[in-house]
């Protein structure tokens, strides 16, 4: 009897232990409960003590000299080193110690290695990343960087720093998310730095509308296509003022427009490569001393990116004998991406120019191994991607075919896709440059004047950015900078024939001929993702551009005199939208000219007195947005509800059509008997919207603004934030996207700088610095940024010092 | 009672040391070994094992959490439907005690076989 009960208990105990040791037991999303709950190994170990140790010493054998890292009261590390390479090693260590899981996860996601840790559900996502050629490109990029001694040394030092941190961890120290998701950190590598660079390129310069545009051209015919989808809004206020003359010898190139795929007998069914979410954009501007109260320039920047926890930005100051710079870095890349020093400040917004084109491939036969190019049969180069999947012994193999143009992204045996190759600037080896992207940032960090800034940008290629600049000595400038293809008229707007190399890009726009301006007469430079230039710029470019923020910011800056830091803060937080200013009078005008009963509806009356600011507490923007969207949807029903993938007309075009061509046949709703005009559509839209409108719902309730954890883990996100803002307003808050870093640098006798981002310096949910800046950011407030000189180092107030010894 | 208290003291010390270096389930092994060594009868083994593990897991969880102002516990609690930190600490204690109790019973029963 005792024997039996012993074995019963023993078995029961072992069974329970095993059950609680399984990660994601029985298909659930749960972690291995035993080690997760054990306070010796699990999540309790991630409850960081609020009171930090004041001083830590650490051996880092690869350092050349001692490095001191002092964290200020906002947990911003100020790194003081004897040389740049040591500083980069410290940056790697410090960044990993606060953001390791995020660095690991974002590079895995970009390279297509998620299924390895999360299982088969992520396999298709991984496959797509691989088929875009990203992992292959990261390896190639790093090979290419080998000849740039300084950048190579910095990347290697950063890698060492990250790995030193990883190697110091035992499983109980792993960041919380590893314990929740059941995987382990793996060592960092230079290729991962390249992957991170590519992740930025992917979110910023992979927009492509070639397929829906080609279909729309066939569907509507050329005349209607040009009417519906003009490339340039005449109201546009471009980045480079229209007064600028292009005083350079334009390269001669084939001017003939390339026409889309000849003999396009059928619509293209191949999927459009997913575009980065709408809402990725940014504002930046610089005022010269003539427009500021202090008489010194002010520079502002607020990049609009995905708002997540941990945040995409990490604040840092780096001091070496050669440089002293403060700003935000990207966890995964050494250096500072947006920032300032004693003499200059710089910032970026994204350039919308299209650098991703599709080419139709003509196979010689059904085996799809040879394709026609200039009358020759050319063989594809096949690369086999190995994708590891959690729980599977063998990796999944996927063969990707590379043509002269690039990889064939979508190829499914069972589909009737037209096989197309993706030509992407990101795949091209960087041209012969004195240095690359990291070298550009390192030079900006130590720049002292316009010439240094201008030199630094020569090494920068991707993703193309509008680099704004201001210097204490009075200069301001902006440069639409990066690698841009030389295109013929309308080249890359549509899918092109891949059987002739004459259809290829004709080279690149020379660096000195990119759109740029220094000290324009109007006393300011600014960009908000709008068109780089007016139509007089000698080279053709296409892409997706903002029509409202840029125009509004230019108007506001034009009118501004004696500007102060407070004025700049107000403009960054300004939720006024020109889109509402353009559209609302048209909508209300149509309503008032009609006999409709809704004229006196309280919600409509509310809208009449609305100031066109998208404030979180306001209810008026809810009706505006829904009314506008419904009118757009009803107007373009034949486009939006079509099974053919057709390009969506831009907002400004729709608003112009309401005003100028109200009897256009597009206003007719296909599903009704009668023939509608603009007025009918607008009234019907209002009727539909009012029927279901919750008149007490505020703008922020409708938008459900949030800052979510990267892996969407409940409890680690901030949901339902009472934010102001609108995608088409300077304060460009959209659900999940928005101003990811607001920075203002005011030069003066003594410079001052302000900044804030929706997150915190630490990526650890157990840290008080995980989300400490969110509320302040949401309220539109700023923190003063502490720019230290090396003598401040001893006296400045900090919460922790880390001494690194060789 | 005396054997029980001795068991408890030994369990707290050895259990803590073992779990600092070994996997979480070393808790079970230590409980079993000590119950065997101290020759506790099954029911009392279960009770003392239960109590020891609750103190070990609950105590350490509370100690870590209070130094953290229960910040993390609040976030993890949200994953369990808004459980307050004290609830999470109690669950942790309970979790440990299931295994402490079972382990001790196994040790006790093993002794009985001879």
């Amino acid at each position: 009897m005792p024997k039996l009960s012993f074995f019963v208990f023993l078995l029961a105990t072992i069974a329970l232990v095993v059950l609680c040791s399984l990660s994601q037991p029985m298909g659930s999303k749960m972690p291995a409960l035993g080690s997760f709950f054990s306070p010796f190994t699990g999540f309790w170990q991630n409850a960081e003590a609020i009171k930090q140790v004041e001083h830590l010493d650490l051996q880092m054998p690869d350092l050349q000299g001692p490095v001191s890292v002092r964290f200020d009261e906002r947990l911003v590390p100020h790194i003081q080193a004897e040389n740049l390479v040591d500083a980069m090693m410290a940056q790697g260590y410090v960044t990993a110690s606060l953001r390791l899981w995020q660095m690991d996860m974002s590079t895995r996601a970009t390279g297509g290695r998620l299924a390895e840790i999360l299982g088969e559900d992520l396999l298709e996502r991984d496959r797509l990343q691989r088929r875009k050629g990203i992992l292959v490109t990261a390896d190639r990029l790093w090979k290419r960087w080998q000849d740039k001694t300084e950048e190579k040394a910095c990347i290697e030092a950063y890698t060492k720093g990250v790995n030193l941190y990883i190697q110091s961890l035992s499983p109980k120290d792993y960041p919380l998310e590893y314990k929740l998701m059941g995987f382990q950190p793996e060592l960092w590598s230079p290729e991962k730095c390249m992957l991170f660079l590519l992740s930025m390129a992917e979110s910023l310069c992979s927009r492509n509308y070639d397929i829906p545009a080609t279909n729309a051209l066939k569907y509507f015919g050329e005349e209607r296509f040009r009417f519906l989808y003009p490339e340039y809004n005449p109201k546009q206020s471009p980045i480079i003022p229209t007064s600028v003359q292009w005083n350079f010898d334009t390269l001669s190139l084939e001017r003939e427009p390339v026409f889309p795929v000849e003999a396009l007998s059928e619509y293209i069914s191949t999927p459009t490569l997913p575009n980065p979410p709408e809402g990725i954009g940014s504002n930046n501007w610089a005022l010269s001393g003539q427009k500021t109260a202090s008489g010194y320039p002010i520079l502002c920047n607020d990049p609009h990116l995905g708002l997540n926890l941990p945040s995409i930005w990490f604040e840092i100051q780096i001091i070496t004998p050669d440089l002293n710079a403060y700003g935000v870095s990207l966890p995964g890349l050494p250096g500072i991406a947006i920032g300032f020093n004693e003499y200059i400040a710089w910032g970026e917004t994204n350039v919308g120019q299209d650098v991703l084109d599709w080419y139709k491939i003509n196979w010689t036969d059904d085996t799809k191994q040879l394709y026609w190019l200039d009358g020759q049969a050319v063989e594809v180069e096949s690369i086999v991607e190995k994708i590891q999947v959690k729980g599977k012994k063998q990796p999944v193999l996927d063969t990707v075919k590379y043509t002269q143009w690039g990889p064939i992204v979508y190829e499914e045996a069972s589909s009737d896709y037209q096989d197309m190759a993706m030509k992407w600037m990101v795949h091209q080896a960087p041209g012969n440059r004195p240095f690359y992207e990291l070298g550009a940032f390192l030079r900006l960090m130590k720049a002292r004047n316009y010439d240094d800034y201008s030199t630094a940008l020569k090494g920068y290629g991707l993703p193309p950015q509008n680099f704004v600049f201001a210097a204490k000595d009075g200069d301001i400038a902006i440069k639409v900078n990066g690698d841009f293809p030389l295109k013929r008229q309308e080249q890359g707007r549509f899918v092109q024939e891949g059987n002739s190399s004459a259809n290829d890009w004709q080279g690149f726009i020379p660096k000195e001929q990119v759109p740029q301006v220094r000290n324009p007469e109007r006393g300011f430079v600014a960009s908000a993702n709008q068109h780089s230039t007016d139509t007089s710029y000698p080279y053709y470019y296409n892409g997706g551009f903002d029509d409202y923020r840029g125009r509004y910011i230019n108007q506001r800056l034009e009118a501004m005199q004696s500007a102060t830091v407070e004025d700049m803060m107000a403009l960054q937080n300004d939720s006024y939208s020109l889109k509402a200013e353009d559209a609302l009078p048209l909508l209300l005008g149509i309503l008032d000219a009609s006999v409709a009963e809704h004229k006196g509806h309280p919600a409509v009356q509310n809208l009449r007195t609305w100031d066109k600011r998208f404030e979180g507490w306001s209810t008026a923007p809810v009706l505006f947005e829904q009314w506008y969207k419904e009118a757009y949807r009803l107007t373009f029903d034949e486009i939006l509800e079509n099974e053919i993938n057709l390009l969506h007309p831009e907002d400004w075009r729709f608003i112009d059509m309401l005003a100028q061509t109200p009897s256009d046949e597009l206003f007719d709703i296909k599903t009704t008997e009668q023939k509608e005009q603009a007025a009918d559509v607008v009234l019907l839209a209002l009727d539909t919207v009012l029927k279901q409108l919750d008149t007490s719902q505020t703008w922020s309730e409708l938008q459900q603004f949030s800052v979510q954890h990267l892996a969407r883990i409940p409890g680690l996100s901030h949901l339902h934030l009472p934010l102001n803002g609108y995608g088409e307003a300077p304060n460009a808050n959209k659900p999940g996207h928005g101003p990811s870093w607001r920075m203002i640098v005011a030069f003066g006798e003594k410079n001052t700088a302000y900044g804030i981002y929706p997150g915190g310096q630490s990526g650890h949910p157990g840290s008080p610095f995980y989300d400490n800046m969110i509320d302040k950011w949401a309220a539109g407030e700023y923190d003063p940024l502490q720019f230290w000189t090396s003598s401040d180092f001893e006296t400045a107030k900090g919460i922790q010092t880390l001494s690194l010894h060789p | 009672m005396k054997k029980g208290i001795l068991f408890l003291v030994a369990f707290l010390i050895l259990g803590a040391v073992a779990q600092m270096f070994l996997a979480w389930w070393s808790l079970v092994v230590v409980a079993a070994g000590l119950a065997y060594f101290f020759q506790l009868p099954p029911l009392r083994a279960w009770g003392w094992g239960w109590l020891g593990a609750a103190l070990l897991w609950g105590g350490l969880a509370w100690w870590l959490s209070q130094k953290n102002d229960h910040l993390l516990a609040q976030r993890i609690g949200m994953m369990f439907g808004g459980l307050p930190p004290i609830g999470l600490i109690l669950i942790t204690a309970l979790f440990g005690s299931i295994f402490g109790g079972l382990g001790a019973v196994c040790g006790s029963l093993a002794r009985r076989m001879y």
Side-chain angles (χ1 to χ4, degrees), chain A residues 184-197:
Chain A
Q184 290 83 39
E186 67 173 9
L187 287 182
W188 193 256
S189 64
E191 287 83 355
K192 285 182 185 258
C193 289
M194 300 295 117
L195 269 178
F196 194 87
L197 193 63

PDB file of all heavy atoms in Angstrom, chain A residues 184-197:
ATOM      1  N   GLN A 184      15.452  32.689 -26.101  1.00  0.00           N
ATOM      2  CA  GLN A 184      16.651  33.239 -25.477  1.00  0.00           C
ATOM      3  C   GLN A 184      17.287  34.272 -26.384  1.00  0.00           C
ATOM      4  O   GLN A 184      17.183  34.172 -27.604  1.00  0.00           O
ATOM      5  CB  GLN A 184      17.684  32.127 -25.219  1.00  0.00           C
ATOM      6  CG  GLN A 184      17.304  31.153 -24.132  1.00  0.00           C
ATOM      7  CD  GLN A 184      16.375  30.072 -24.640  1.00  0.00           C
ATOM      8  OE1 GLN A 184      16.558  29.592 -25.761  1.00  0.00           O
ATOM      9  NE2 GLN A 184      15.379  29.701 -23.858  1.00  0.00           N
ATOM     10  N   PRO A 185      17.965  35.248 -25.788  1.00  0.00           N
ATOM     11  CA  PRO A 185      18.684  36.198 -26.636  1.00  0.00           C
ATOM     12  C   PRO A 185      19.806  35.495 -27.391  1.00  0.00           C
ATOM     13  O   PRO A 185      20.388  34.539 -26.881  1.00  0.00           O
ATOM     14  CB  PRO A 185      19.262  37.220 -25.644  1.00  0.00           C
ATOM     15  CG  PRO A 185      19.060  36.678 -24.289  1.00  0.00           C
ATOM     16  CD  PRO A 185      18.113  35.535 -24.353  1.00  0.00           C
ATOM     17  N   GLU A 186      20.067  35.932 -28.606  1.00  0.00           N
ATOM     18  CA  GLU A 186      21.223  35.385 -29.318  1.00  0.00           C
ATOM     19  C   GLU A 186      22.228  36.507 -29.515  1.00  0.00           C
ATOM     20  O   GLU A 186      21.879  37.691 -29.417  1.00  0.00           O
ATOM     21  CB  GLU A 186      20.814  34.773 -30.658  1.00  0.00           C
ATOM     22  CG  GLU A 186      20.313  35.782 -31.649  1.00  0.00           C
ATOM     23  CD  GLU A 186      20.064  35.192 -33.032  1.00  0.00           C
ATOM     24  OE1 GLU A 186      20.117  33.968 -33.204  1.00  0.00           O
ATOM     25  OE2 GLU A 186      19.822  35.985 -33.949  1.00  0.00           O
ATOM     26  N   LEU A 187      23.475  36.138 -29.779  1.00  0.00           N
ATOM     27  CA  LEU A 187      24.522  37.150 -29.869  1.00  0.00           C
ATOM     28  C   LEU A 187      24.246  38.137 -31.005  1.00  0.00           C
ATOM     29  O   LEU A 187      23.679  37.792 -32.032  1.00  0.00           O
ATOM     30  CB  LEU A 187      25.883  36.489 -30.065  1.00  0.00           C
ATOM     31  CG  LEU A 187      26.436  35.785 -28.824  1.00  0.00           C
ATOM     32  CD1 LEU A 187      27.813  35.206 -29.119  1.00  0.00           C
ATOM     33  CD2 LEU A 187      26.511  36.737 -27.629  1.00  0.00           C
ATOM     34  N   TRP A 188      24.660  39.366 -30.793  1.00  0.00           N
ATOM     35  CA  TRP A 188      24.530  40.421 -31.806  1.00  0.00           C
ATOM     36  C   TRP A 188      25.624  40.246 -32.837  1.00  0.00           C
ATOM     37  O   TRP A 188      26.608  39.536 -32.600  1.00  0.00           O
ATOM     38  CB  TRP A 188      24.642  41.777 -31.108  1.00  0.00           C
ATOM     39  CG  TRP A 188      24.218  42.934 -31.955  1.00  0.00           C
ATOM     40  CD1 TRP A 188      25.041  43.827 -32.584  1.00  0.00           C
ATOM     41  CD2 TRP A 188      22.881  43.333 -32.263  1.00  0.00           C
ATOM     42  NE1 TRP A 188      24.286  44.747 -33.266  1.00  0.00           N
ATOM     43  CE2 TRP A 188      22.970  44.474 -33.092  1.00  0.00           C
ATOM     44  CE3 TRP A 188      21.613  42.837 -31.937  1.00  0.00           C
ATOM     45  CZ2 TRP A 188      21.848  45.130 -33.589  1.00  0.00           C
ATOM     46  CZ3 TRP A 188      20.492  43.484 -32.436  1.00  0.00           C
ATOM     47  CH2 TRP A 188      20.612  44.616 -33.243  1.00  0.00           C
ATOM     48  N   SER A 189      25.434  40.856 -34.015  1.00  0.00           N
ATOM     49  CA  SER A 189      26.463  40.779 -35.051  1.00  0.00           C
ATOM     50  C   SER A 189      26.399  42.054 -35.888  1.00  0.00           C
ATOM     51  O   SER A 189      25.369  42.738 -35.887  1.00  0.00           O
ATOM     52  CB  SER A 189      26.211  39.563 -35.947  1.00  0.00           C
ATOM     53  OG  SER A 189      24.979  39.753 -36.628  1.00  0.00           O
ATOM     54  N   PRO A 190      27.464  42.377 -36.606  1.00  0.00           N
ATOM     55  CA  PRO A 190      27.419  43.560 -37.478  1.00  0.00           C
ATOM     56  C   PRO A 190      26.290  43.455 -38.492  1.00  0.00           C
ATOM     57  O   PRO A 190      25.674  44.470 -38.844  1.00  0.00           O
ATOM     58  CB  PRO A 190      28.779  43.543 -38.183  1.00  0.00           C
ATOM     59  CG  PRO A 190      29.677  42.805 -37.265  1.00  0.00           C
ATOM     60  CD  PRO A 190      28.814  41.764 -36.601  1.00  0.00           C
ATOM     61  N   GLU A 191      26.017  42.238 -38.956  1.00  0.00           N
ATOM     62  CA  GLU A 191      24.932  42.077 -39.930  1.00  0.00           C
ATOM     63  C   GLU A 191      23.599  42.523 -39.343  1.00  0.00           C
ATOM     64  O   GLU A 191      22.709  42.973 -40.058  1.00  0.00           O
ATOM     65  CB  GLU A 191      24.822  40.618 -40.391  1.00  0.00           C
ATOM     66  CG  GLU A 191      25.926  40.162 -41.334  1.00  0.00           C
ATOM     67  CD  GLU A 191      27.192  39.726 -40.610  1.00  0.00           C
ATOM     68  OE1 GLU A 191      27.255  39.863 -39.361  1.00  0.00           O
ATOM     69  OE2 GLU A 191      28.128  39.244 -41.283  1.00  0.00           O
ATOM     70  N   LYS A 192      23.466  42.384 -38.030  1.00  0.00           N
ATOM     71  CA  LYS A 192      22.213  42.832 -37.403  1.00  0.00           C
ATOM     72  C   LYS A 192      22.116  44.353 -37.425  1.00  0.00           C
ATOM     73  O   LYS A 192      21.012  44.912 -37.517  1.00  0.00           O
ATOM     74  CB  LYS A 192      22.103  42.307 -35.974  1.00  0.00           C
ATOM     75  CG  LYS A 192      21.759  40.817 -35.921  1.00  0.00           C
ATOM     76  CD  LYS A 192      21.606  40.370 -34.475  1.00  0.00           C
ATOM     77  CE  LYS A 192      21.375  38.885 -34.391  1.00  0.00           C
ATOM     78  NZ  LYS A 192      19.965  38.537 -34.160  1.00  0.00           N
ATOM     79  N   CYS A 193      23.237  45.027 -37.301  1.00  0.00           N
ATOM     80  CA  CYS A 193      23.214  46.489 -37.460  1.00  0.00           C
ATOM     81  C   CYS A 193      22.718  46.839 -38.866  1.00  0.00           C
ATOM     82  O   CYS A 193      21.919  47.755 -39.050  1.00  0.00           O
ATOM     83  CB  CYS A 193      24.602  47.095 -37.255  1.00  0.00           C
ATOM     84  SG  CYS A 193      25.185  47.048 -35.553  1.00  0.00           S
ATOM     85  N   MET A 194      23.202  46.073 -39.853  1.00  0.00           N
ATOM     86  CA  MET A 194      22.767  46.315 -41.235  1.00  0.00           C
ATOM     87  C   MET A 194      21.267  46.040 -41.371  1.00  0.00           C
ATOM     88  O   MET A 194      20.547  46.766 -42.040  1.00  0.00           O
ATOM     89  CB  MET A 194      23.536  45.419 -42.213  1.00  0.00           C
ATOM     90  CG  MET A 194      25.034  45.616 -42.216  1.00  0.00           C
ATOM     91  SD  MET A 194      25.526  47.259 -42.788  1.00  0.00           S
ATOM     92  CE  MET A 194      26.321  47.895 -41.335  1.00  0.00           C
ATOM     93  N   LEU A 195      20.814  44.972 -40.707  1.00  0.00           N
ATOM     94  CA  LEU A 195      19.386  44.649 -40.745  1.00  0.00           C
ATOM     95  C   LEU A 195      18.567  45.783 -40.158  1.00  0.00           C
ATOM     96  O   LEU A 195      17.489  46.119 -40.644  1.00  0.00           O
ATOM     97  CB  LEU A 195      19.103  43.382 -39.937  1.00  0.00           C
ATOM     98  CG  LEU A 195      19.150  42.059 -40.674  1.00  0.00           C
ATOM     99  CD1 LEU A 195      18.884  40.928 -39.701  1.00  0.00           C
ATOM    100  CD2 LEU A 195      18.108  42.035 -41.788  1.00  0.00           C
ATOM    101  N   PHE A 196      19.106  46.384 -39.096  1.00  0.00           N
ATOM    102  CA  PHE A 196      18.351  47.486 -38.507  1.00  0.00           C
ATOM    103  C   PHE A 196      18.255  48.661 -39.470  1.00  0.00           C
ATOM    104  O   PHE A 196      17.203  49.288 -39.629  1.00  0.00           O
ATOM    105  CB  PHE A 196      18.964  47.932 -37.170  1.00  0.00           C
ATOM    106  CG  PHE A 196      18.008  48.808 -36.443  1.00  0.00           C
ATOM    107  CD1 PHE A 196      17.057  48.243 -35.622  1.00  0.00           C
ATOM    108  CD2 PHE A 196      17.976  50.164 -36.669  1.00  0.00           C
ATOM    109  CE1 PHE A 196      16.095  49.030 -35.021  1.00  0.00           C
ATOM    110  CE2 PHE A 196      17.024  50.958 -36.066  1.00  0.00           C
ATOM    111  CZ  PHE A 196      16.086  50.389 -35.231  1.00  0.00           C
ATOM    112  N   LEU A 197      19.376  48.938 -40.142  1.00  0.00           N
ATOM    113  CA  LEU A 197      19.375  49.998 -41.151  1.00  0.00           C
ATOM    114  C   LEU A 197      18.326  49.681 -42.222  1.00  0.00           C
ATOM    115  O   LEU A 197      17.564  50.551 -42.655  1.00  0.00           O
ATOM    116  CB  LEU A 197      20.773  50.077 -41.779  1.00  0.00           C
ATOM    117  CG  LEU A 197      21.108  51.281 -42.628  1.00  0.00           C
ATOM    118  CD1 LEU A 197      21.052  52.554 -41.790  1.00  0.00           C
ATOM    119  CD2 LEU A 197      22.515  51.128 -43.218  1.00  0.00           C
TER     120      LEU A 197
END
